[in-house]
Amino acid sequence: MSFFDQKNRFISKFNRRDLSASQLSWLITSSIFLFLGTTVGVAQVRTAHKSGFTLQLLHTSDQEAGVPALKDVPNFSAVLNALKNQDANGDGKSDYPNTLILSSGDAYIPSPFLFASDTVFGGQGRGDILILNALGFGAIAFGNHEFDLGTGVVADLIRPQEDYPGTKFPYLSTNLDFSTDKELAKLVTADGQEASKIPNKIARSTIITVNGEKIGLVGATTPTLRSISSPGGVTVLPKEFNDRDAADIAALAAEIQTSVDTLLTKNPEINKVILLAHMQQIAIEQKLAELLKGVDIIVAGGSNTLLTDKTDRLRVGDKSAGTYPILKKAADGHPIAVVNTDGNYRYVGRLVVNFDANGVIIPKSIDSKISGAYPTDSPGVAAVGGKPDAKIVAITEALKKVIIAQDSQIFGKTNVFLNGWRGDVRTQETNFGNLTAEANLAIAKRYDPKTVISIKNGGGIRDNIGIYTFPSGSTRSQDVIKLPPQANPVAGKKEKEISQLDIINALRFNNGLTLVTLNATELLAVIEHSVAAIAPGATPGSFPQVAGLAFSFDPNLPAGKRVKSLAIKDRKGKIIDVVVKNAELVGDSNRIFRTVTLNFLAGGGDGYPFPKRERVDLTSKDADNSKRTGLATFAADGSEQDALAEYLAANFKQIPFTQRDVPPAEDTRIQNLKLRKDVVF
């Protein structure tokens, strides 16, 4: 390497704040000598450098344990530990001793898994945290689902209490200010400390020292947090954020860069930085990669993007969403790697990469036979010779006993698979979306018979009710087999029966229901918003599932001008009112429609523009189960779970539900004009 090449590399590294005092001295002295016409021995400088570094990063995000985690979590531990301890040459030493285990957030979610911990471990979600501790996570970024039950639950899970150790790792986020929240302010600690010294704490950044090598970690959380979760008094920065606005992305990058720069300035010996970024759409992490300096790897989160390489075997039915890793050029001119895998403990992400002597990743060192996505199904465990961790098996078995008891409470039957698949409920109408929207409408009519419309968000549906599988040996999407719920002889559940467990697993958030009144103009604005975020590859949680209406939209038109037709319809499909025709509002714009939605959306969640007037919350505030009405008393009156259970019991206890799921080209309530003709009328 010529002097000028070496000089440019050092200047670039100086911009990253990781140029050591000796290197800076060399650069200044060499520049003076060169100016005077004197040559400098570059070889001598090279010998002064420390050697390169190989890192094994084992990562995940969106763990969000639901019922499938009872099997996938032990399998995840088997695969993770097998990779961590791999000894291919049998010399008694692990192949990659420099290993980090990290997550970019959504480490837990309201679910049967989380709630069962209340019975087993004396607090909601404690089982999730005990599993994370046992897996050995060094640090985790805050996602959005950490806040779904409010900041009080977050605080209870992080801090130690009696026999519960809390998080043995720090939680990170640079663009969340926790000092403004009374529950979490006490848990904030100084940035840039060793992670091992700050368990049970919150910080913007931390350091993990691996065999003498210090690696900087910075966390970041989606700025849309307030509209998709419940962060209490936490201040979210930037305060205004549109992921389609380059200026807003740049403002977010600036928030992150400040923490990166501070970390590197205070620790000039560090020249390796990993960003744990929970941005919900991997396109945002890719944009950030090109705007940041001093960051080498971004672990993305929230989008469940399954990145794979040509050697990876996928779980049955899964499809790759891109190449592992995504390589970009950072703002400092250096390569930066973006990694992600599917969540729910279904894969372990593995990046083994070399850094050069200056702390820059070497893309050519990434071997597809080693790095990539490792499935945690039974074949995946066998492939790596893994064995589930005994502690984790004990935790999941204890939770399983509580969860199985819930599977014995039956509320209805279905002859068909109820589609709650993430990629479907966030992009198209599904039969399960229709069913739960109808259930919400039915319960709302009991409170107000004038209610005619039900609108909910697809992001509130977290799982299918039924079995999604493939014939033995097949992984082709066209071979998929979708079946109604399986029997559970241990719980006394028969095939096709829908249990309490099915309901609470699929509707994990259990939002309360709210009545609002919309005039025609406001209704159109709400429906326009519901399809505004539709874009290639996107799975927006704001996408709707509806009852009492049908509409068509053109996703190729600008957001806010996509709805072509909109009609109010009764249960038999008869048109009651035409609201929009040929993309024009029809009739009196002030006529009103009584509507049931989720309290989350009524309060502006997912950015929904519901008017802030005449709101009636249906959810019972009474925590006394004995005072709950109807057949389903496991959930509060007026909540989504209660509505679905009561609706199933009233309509499908004896006669099974039979509406099969259809492809988007056959959807009738939500008609995507890119995929079908407009038949609203």
Side-chain angles (χ1 to χ4, degrees):
M1 181 182 291
S2 70
F3 166 78
F4 291 103
D5 290 336
Q6 193 82 332
K7 176 181 73 67
N8 290 335
R9 171 59 62 86
F10 278 135
I11 290 174
S12 179
K13 295 300 284 184
F14 178 69
N15 289 333
R16 295 176 59 159
R17 306 296 200 274
D18 56 12
L19 192 61
S20 68
S22 61
Q23 290 171 334
L24 179 60
S25 175
W26 178 90
L27 177 59
I28 295 171
T29 304
S30 300
S31 300
I32 295 171
F33 283 156
L34 181 65
F35 180 76
L36 295 174
T38 305
T39 60
V40 177
V42 175
Q44 185 176 356
V45 175
R46 286 180 176 175
T47 59
H49 292 175
K50 57 185 175 182
S51 62
F53 183 82
T54 300
L55 174 69
Q56 175 176 234
L57 171 61
L58 301 176
H59 64 89
T60 189
S61 65
D62 307 277
Q63 292 96 304
E64 301 177 11
V67 174
L70 293 172
K71 181 176 181 180
D72 286 334
V73 166
N75 283 356
F76 185 96
S77 73
V79 174
L80 179 79
N81 290 330
L83 297 179
K84 181 176 66 175
N85 300 317
Q86 178 182 306
D87 178 14
N89 60 9
D91 65 356
K93 299 178 181 178
S94 60
D95 295 341
Y96 304 105
N98 305 319
T99 294
L100 288 181
I101 303 173
L102 304 172
S103 167
S104 52
D106 280 2
Y108 56 85
I109 192 173
S111 70
F113 198 98
L114 179 139
F115 295 126
S117 284
D118 204 8
T119 301
V120 179
F121 299 111
Q124 295 178 354
R126 290 185 176 184
D128 294 82
I129 299 302
L130 293 174
I131 286 168
L132 299 174
N133 289 344
L135 289 170
F137 281 94
I140 296 180
F142 276 108
N144 50 292
H145 288 309
E146 270 85 357
F147 299 95
D148 285 339
L149 298 175
T151 56
V153 171
V154 179
D156 285 341
L157 289 176
I158 291 178
R159 66 189 175 209
Q161 302 171 58
E162 299 178 359
D163 296 332
Y164 170 66
T167 58
K168 292 186 177 181
F169 52 84
Y171 254 109
L172 306 177
S173 185
T174 185
N175 63 310
L176 301 183
D177 182 357
F178 297 95
S179 67
T180 53
D181 183 83
K182 63 180 182 180
E183 300 286 353
L184 297 177
K186 297 177 183 178
L187 300 179
V188 176
T189 190
D191 302 326
Q193 300 181 73
E194 280 282 346
S196 60
K197 296 181 179 179
I198 53 171
N200 314 115
K201 296 294 183 181
I202 297 171
R204 295 183 181 89
S205 63
T206 189
I207 297 168
I208 296 182
T209 301
V210 182
N211 293 319
E213 186 76 14
K214 291 187 175 183
I215 299 173
L217 305 175
V218 176
T221 306
T222 172
T224 64
L225 180 64
R226 191 158 297 284
S227 68
I228 61 176
S229 195
S230 304
V234 175
T235 300
V236 184
L237 302 171
K239 292 185 177 180
E240 300 294 331
F241 185 79
N242 182 338
D243 62 18
R244 295 181 293 275
D245 189 326
D248 288 355
I249 299 289
L252 173 60
E255 291 286 345
I256 297 169
Q257 192 66 58
T258 297
S259 282
V260 173
D261 290 347
T262 300
L263 180 67
L264 294 176
T265 299
K266 292 183 177 180
N267 301 275
E269 70 277 20
I270 293 178
N271 62 6
K272 301 170 185 65
V273 174
I274 298 173
L275 172 65
L276 304 177
H278 195 95
M279 294 297 130
Q280 293 292 98
Q281 299 292 341
I282 199 167
I284 300 177
E285 278 105 350
Q286 292 185 70
K287 291 175 183 177
L288 289 173
E290 297 176 333
L291 296 174
L292 295 171
K293 298 179 180 179
V295 177
D296 302 288
I297 300 168
I298 297 178
V299 181
S303 64
N304 292 75
T305 304
L306 178 54
L307 300 180
T308 65
D309 58 47
K310 59 185 179 182
T311 69
D312 293 340
R313 181 193 65 81
L314 304 188
R315 293 175 66 134
V316 172
D318 286 352
K319 294 181 180 179
S320 176
T323 301
Y324 185 104
I326 297 171
L327 292 168
K328 295 284 186 178
K329 180 183 286 187
D332 54 15
H334 297 306
I336 182 171
V338 180
V339 296
N340 200 198
T341 63
D342 194 8
N344 306 107
Y345 289 102
R346 292 169 50 81
Y347 289 87
V348 175
R350 185 194 205 187
L351 179 68
V352 176
V353 61
N354 292 343
F355 291 78
D356 69 15
N358 299 312
V360 177
I361 66 169
I362 304 173
K364 290 184 179 180
S365 69
I366 302 172
D367 185 346
S368 63
K369 295 179 181 179
I370 298 172
S371 295
Y374 285 74
T376 60
D377 53 4
S378 296
V381 173
V384 297
K387 183 179 180 181
D389 182 279
K391 291 182 180 178
I392 289 174
V393 170
I395 294 169
T396 54
E397 285 297 317
L399 296 173
K400 184 178 180 180
K401 291 179 181 178
V402 175
I403 292 172
I404 283 179
Q406 299 170 352
D407 213 17
S408 66
Q409 304 301 312
I410 306 301
F411 291 94
K413 298 178 182 178
T414 176
N415 282 340
V416 295
F417 173 85
L418 300 179
N419 184 6
W421 202 254
R422 174 191 172 96
D424 290 344
V425 294
R426 293 169 177 244
T427 58
Q428 65 187 63
E429 172 188 340
T430 77
N431 66 341
F432 185 40
N434 290 344
L435 176 61
T436 180
E438 290 283 2
N440 292 351
L441 182 57
I443 200 79
K445 284 180 176 293
R446 297 184 189 177
Y447 290 85
D448 186 345
K450 294 181 180 179
T451 309
V452 293
I453 298 171
S454 173
I455 302 171
K456 61 176 293 177
N457 63 326
I461 298 175
R462 306 307 299 187
D463 215 333
N464 310 303
I465 294 182
I467 303 301
Y468 187 95
T469 187
F470 283 75
S472 178
S474 174
T475 60
R476 300 189 308 164
S477 59
Q478 59 265 41
D479 293 339
V480 64
I481 299 173
K482 299 178 181 179
L483 301 172
Q486 286 185 317
N488 183 349
V490 176
K493 177 185 177 182
K494 298 177 182 178
E495 184 181 0
K496 300 183 180 181
E497 289 185 333
I498 301 174
S499 69
Q500 173 185 330
L501 179 60
D502 292 322
I503 294 168
I504 63 178
N505 185 57
L507 301 177
R508 297 174 194 172
F509 297 149
N510 196 28
N511 289 290
L513 302 180
T514 296
L515 292 176
V516 295
T517 298
L518 302 175
N519 63 35
T521 300
E522 292 165 341
L523 174 59
L524 175 56
V526 165
I527 298 302
E528 283 284 8
H529 175 79
S530 74
V531 294
I534 284 294
T539 54
S542 55
F543 187 85
Q545 298 294 328
V546 301
L549 60 79
F551 70 94
S552 65
F553 72 101
D554 186 346
N556 292 325
L557 294 177
K561 298 182 179 180
R562 292 179 167 179
V563 176
K564 182 180 179 182
S565 303
L566 172 59
I568 310 301
K569 296 187 176 185
D570 64 17
R571 289 193 64 182
K572 295 182 179 180
K574 180 182 177 181
I575 295 177
I576 300 172
D577 195 327
V578 175
V579 182
V580 177
K581 190 171 185 178
N582 296 324
E584 296 291 337
L585 199 64
V586 176
D588 182 3
S589 62
N590 290 316
R591 68 189 188 280
I592 59 174
F593 305 95
R594 196 62 162 161
T595 303
V596 62
T597 188
L598 311 183
N599 55 15
F600 169 65
L601 302 184
D606 272 347
Y608 267 85
F610 282 104
K612 306 202 180 294
R613 65 170 190 275
E614 301 179 31
R615 171 177 171 173
V616 179
D617 292 329
L618 307 186
T619 309
S620 169
K621 302 297 184 183
D622 198 333
D624 186 350
N625 293 12
S626 66
K627 295 182 180 180
R628 293 176 180 172
T629 61
L631 294 175
T633 57
F634 66 89
D637 287 0
S639 65
E640 274 207 285
Q641 291 177 7
D642 181 69
L644 180 57
E646 297 290 0
Y647 186 72
L648 289 170
N651 296 280
F652 303 107
K653 193 71 180 283
Q654 303 300 326
I655 301 174
F657 180 80
T658 58
Q659 179 192 333
R660 68 182 182 89
D661 196 54
V662 297
E666 299 177 35
D667 286 343
T668 56
R669 296 187 187 184
I670 304 175
Q671 299 176 20
N672 185 334
L673 298 182
K674 186 178 180 180
L675 303 172
R676 66 158 304 146
K677 293 181 180 179
D678 190 336
V679 294
V680 169
F681 304 122

